[in-house]
Amino acid sequence: MIRCRNFFLVAALALTAPLAASAQVQVDENLPSYKPVQGVNGNISSMGSDTMNNLMTLWAEGFQKFYPGVTIEIEGKGSSTAPAALTKGTATFGPMSRPMKEDEIDAFEKAYGYKPTQLGTSIDMLAVFVHKDNPIKGLSLEQLDAVFSSTRKGGGKADITTWGQLGLEGAWANRAISLYGRNSASGTYGYFKENALFKGDYKTSVKEQPGSSAVIQGVANDQAGIGYSGIGYKTAAVRVVPLSKTGTDYVEPSMETVSSYPLSRFLYLSVNHKPGSQLDPLRLEFIKYIFSKEGQEAVVKDGYLPLNAKVATRQLEMILKK
């Protein structure tokens, strides 16, 4: 049963990029197929990232085909809920769309005497979305910061509040920009603040949404809207805006551009693993499933980018007994 309530990234990107096919993402043929073992049963609880909610569900469904007696509960209220749940022991896994913060790691280490383990499971490209009829060609990070931030630490000289300030003409010129974003519990909120707003502050006019789907729905229903979420939430009702670090060399998020797109990130799975110890069969096999051919096929199905066999092996080595 599934119940759904709702440092080497650069190297990994470089290793993953060659896996692209011209029109369709393919998983690395060197990834092993998952092989079930005996003695796996019990309950799995997942608390954390809304961005990874669908992905956790796909992994759970695939895992249960091998182990139908396993019960899995998934709750996605934001990445900030994962560290506390792991520390308190109320969750088996903590999916996160950002790395843990120092204070979150410290709290866990104080409770257990060792640090939590964060496994990079897949790669997301955090995308900026506009209404499907919006003709904007692209945005630099400086412009994006001036659109969403009140502090403009990206170097923008003026606050950007209309589409005309971004070069749109005609009926768009005086149209006020309508902002959609995630709430502060979200890892996506924190990642966007860190990397797109240069650690600055959001404008108070940003309409904070409880989930990524709500951001997309808001933009889809608002012709003047702009918002951000993981690329996996893209629908036909919105357009992805190509981005550049500076200037007008815009990059659209795709497998081919994963190493050059300015807002690429790992999606993590956090786990309580004492170094040198052996994980119990249930947790170990679920993790092995994620890094298998089937697990990475689920990554592609959900719209994210898979790891190749070399990177997947490195992640698995973090929880294998040494």
Side-chain angles (χ1 to χ4, degrees), residues 160-174:
I160 295 177
T161 59
T162 69
W163 287 105
Q165 290 175 274
L166 294 171
L168 299 193
E169 301 175 343
W172 286 90
N174 295 317

Side-chain angles (χ1 to χ4, degrees), residues 51 124-130 139 141 144 148 180-182 188 191-192 196 212 215-216 219 226-235 238-243 251-254 261-265 303-304:
T51 296
D124 179 27
M125 304 174 88
L126 195 150
V128 174
F129 297 96
V130 293
L139 293 171
L141 291 187
L144 193 60
F148 276 92
Y180 294 84
R182 294 297 311 281
T188 299
Y191 181 89
F192 196 77
S212 296
V215 171
I216 298 300
V219 173
I226 184 171
Y228 61 88
S229 81
I231 188 66
Y233 283 83
K234 182 181 183 296
T235 71
V238 295
R239 275 187 60 231
V240 174
V241 180
L243 301 179
V251 178
E252 186 163 350
S254 71
Y261 183 71
L263 298 179
S264 296
R265 60 177 178 171
Y304 299 113

Side-chain angles (χ1 to χ4, degrees), residues 16 19 25-28 31 51-52 54-60 62 119-125 231-233 255 265-268 287 289-308 312:
T16 305
L19 301 179
V25 176
Q26 303 289 334
V27 301
D28 189 344
L31 284 165
T51 296
M52 294 178 67
N54 294 337
L55 186 53
M56 287 297 298
T57 301
L58 289 174
W59 284 331
L119 305 170
T121 66
S122 49
I123 296 168
D124 179 27
M125 304 174 88
I231 188 66
Y233 283 83
M255 189 64 170
R265 60 177 178 171
F266 261 133
L267 296 179
Y268 294 94
I287 292 171
Y289 176 81
I290 288 173
F291 294 109
S292 71
K293 176 176 177 287
E294 292 83 357
Q296 291 300 296
E297 284 175 343
V299 168
V300 175
K301 182 177 181 180
D302 203 31
Y304 299 113
L305 304 178
L307 305 181
N308 64 22

Side-chain angles (χ1 to χ4, degrees), residues 18 27 38 70 76 87 90 97 146 149 162 179 197 213 226 233 254 280 289 295 299 308-309:
V27 301
Q38 297 295 319
V70 172
T87 300
T90 57
S97 60
S149 174
T162 69
L179 305 175
L197 306 189
S213 294
I226 184 171
Y233 283 83
S254 71
D280 59 90
Y289 176 81
V299 168
N308 64 22

Side-chain angles (χ1 to χ4, degrees), residues 264-279:
S264 296
R265 60 177 178 171
F266 261 133
L267 296 179
Y268 294 94
L269 190 72
S270 304
V271 60
N272 183 342
H273 172 241
K274 184 178 182 179
S277 68
Q278 177 69 56
L279 282 176

